[in-house]
């Protein structure tokens, strides 16, 4: 991993035209730059953005006070659409996991692979609910993504590729619908502005005027949306 002074970061070069610095959800720093940008230019950028990087790292540390480490035991709470449902371990049922009568029910024989079972549940629910909201927001924003995927995105809620595809982390379905809408609108707006410039935020403001509130909610509560 490259390091500039006291800043360690993961560097990725691509055919993109702009440079971006991200504080990932695990607190690591990712730097994405055009493939022709030299190492010296990357370091110059880091130096210019040093104050912002420190500020975002401090914000990350504040947000991660709310991180929750869950166990797959009866009574543990798991999020779905912003609400926490208690887990119940059951002897028999036709599927590994279901949400029924206000609780998650996990089949006992599937306990050894409980984390994967939950991930699959969130992926499947995300395919239906998130794709439906994408259709709503793409009409409102005036864009048309080529492809939409629900997948593992490491430490990001969503991503927008240079090819015009948008991806969403399966964890997104844990959040309240208003936050899901913000994440979706955010990524779709990147089809117009691929960076976080003032123009990007102005464009997002047209469809979600209170995006600041949703952005703050994610910073404060996002760490709790995990397995």
């Amino acid at each position: 991993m490259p390091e500039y002074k006291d800043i360690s970061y993961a560097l990725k070069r691509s055919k993109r035209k702009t440079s971006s610095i991200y504080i990932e959800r695990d607190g690591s720093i990712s730097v994405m730059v055009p493939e022709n940008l030299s190492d010296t230019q990357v370091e110059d950028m880091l130096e210019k953005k040093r104050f912002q990087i420190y500020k975002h790292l401090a914000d990350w540390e504040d947000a991660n006070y709310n991180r929750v480490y869950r166990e797959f035991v009866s009574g543990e709470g798991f999020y779905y659409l912003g609400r926490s449902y208690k887990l119940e371990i059951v002897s028999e049922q036709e599927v590994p996991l279901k949400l029924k009568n206000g609780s998650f029910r996990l089949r006992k024989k599937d306990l050894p692979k409980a984390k994967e079972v939950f991930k699959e549940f969130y992926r499947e629910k995300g395919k239906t609910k998130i794709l439906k909201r994408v259709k709503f927001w793409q009409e409102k924003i005036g864009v048309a993504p080529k492809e939409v995927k629900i997948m593992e995105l490491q430490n990001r809620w969503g991503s927008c590729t240079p090819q015009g595809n948008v991806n969403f982390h399966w964890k997104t379905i844990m959040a309240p619908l208003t936050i899901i809408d913000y994440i979706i609108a955010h990524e779709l707006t990147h089809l117009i502005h691929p960076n976080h410039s003032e123009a990007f935020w102005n464009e997002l403001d047209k469809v979600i005027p209170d995006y600041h509130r949703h952005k703050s909610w994610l910073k404060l509560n996002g760490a709790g949306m995990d397995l």
Side-chain angles (χ1 to χ4, degrees):
M1 180 177 288
E3 186 169 337
Y4 173 68
K5 294 185 179 179
D6 58 340
I7 300 174
S8 296
Y9 59 96
L11 178 64
K12 182 179 179 180
R13 287 186 167 88
S14 68
K15 294 183 179 179
R16 61 179 12 237
K17 296 181 179 179
T18 58
S19 299
S20 300
I21 300 174
Y22 298 98
I23 307 301
E24 305 288 4
R25 293 216 329 264
D26 64 355
S28 63
I29 301 170
S30 291
V31 179
M32 304 180 72
V33 300
E35 55 189 2
N36 62 348
L37 208 68
S38 70
D39 289 345
T40 299
Q41 289 173 307
V42 172
E43 292 181 353
D44 287 343
M45 178 181 68
L46 289 169
E47 185 62 42
K48 290 176 182 177
K49 299 291 185 179
R50 177 178 291 276
F51 174 79
Q52 290 93 325
I53 291 171
Y54 287 158
K55 181 180 183 302
H56 289 312
L57 284 172
D59 290 341
W60 178 87
E61 289 178 0
D62 288 342
N64 276 268
Y65 281 123
N66 293 325
R67 183 172 293 280
V68 176
Y69 296 93
R70 293 181 171 84
E71 296 182 58
F72 297 99
V73 296
S74 290
E76 182 68 274
F78 291 83
Y79 281 106
Y80 177 64
L81 293 178
R83 179 181 170 186
S84 181
Y85 295 89
K86 288 186 177 181
L87 178 63
E88 180 183 352
I89 309 299
V90 298
S91 298
E92 295 293 335
Q93 65 183 12
E94 66 278 14
V95 294
L97 179 68
K98 66 166 64 173
L99 184 56
K100 183 178 181 180
N101 297 333
S103 65
F104 274 113
R105 296 187 176 186
L106 176 65
R107 195 165 56 188
K108 188 175 182 179
K109 73 176 184 179
D110 295 297
L111 264 174
K113 55 179 181 179
K115 192 167 187 176
E116 286 305 316
V117 168
F118 263 91
K119 285 183 181 181
E120 185 58 28
F121 176 90
Y122 289 131
R123 285 191 196 99
E124 289 302 315
K125 292 297 182 181
K127 285 179 184 177
T128 301
K129 295 187 178 293
I130 292 176
L131 290 178
K132 183 177 179 181
R133 299 307 295 169
V134 167
K135 290 180 181 178
F136 170 82
W137 285 104
Q138 70 180 48
E139 292 178 7
K140 205 169 181 66
I141 296 170
V143 295
K146 291 182 179 178
E147 191 174 4
V148 180
K149 291 183 180 179
I150 312 300
M151 59 192 296
E152 180 76 51
L153 281 176
Q154 296 183 339
N155 301 300
R156 293 192 189 131
W157 292 105
S159 66
C160 177
T161 73
Q163 294 75 32
N165 303 324
V166 290
N167 306 311
F168 299 99
H169 202 302
W170 54 263
K171 293 177 185 178
T172 301
I173 201 67
M174 294 182 180
L177 186 57
T178 53
I179 302 302
I180 294 173
D181 279 346
Y182 162 71
I183 294 170
I184 291 170
H186 184 117
E187 296 307 326
L188 290 177
T189 301
H190 277 313
L191 293 172
I192 303 173
H193 301 287
N195 47 37
H196 287 111
S197 62
E198 184 178 354
F200 167 84
W201 295 111
N202 287 340
E203 193 70 35
L204 182 60
D205 183 73
K206 293 177 184 177
V207 292
I208 303 187
D210 58 347
Y211 74 83
H212 290 285
R213 183 163 59 88
H214 303 317
K215 185 179 178 184
S216 296
W217 189 97
L218 268 178
K219 283 186 177 182
L220 182 63
N221 300 285
M225 305 287 117
D226 206 347
L227 290 176

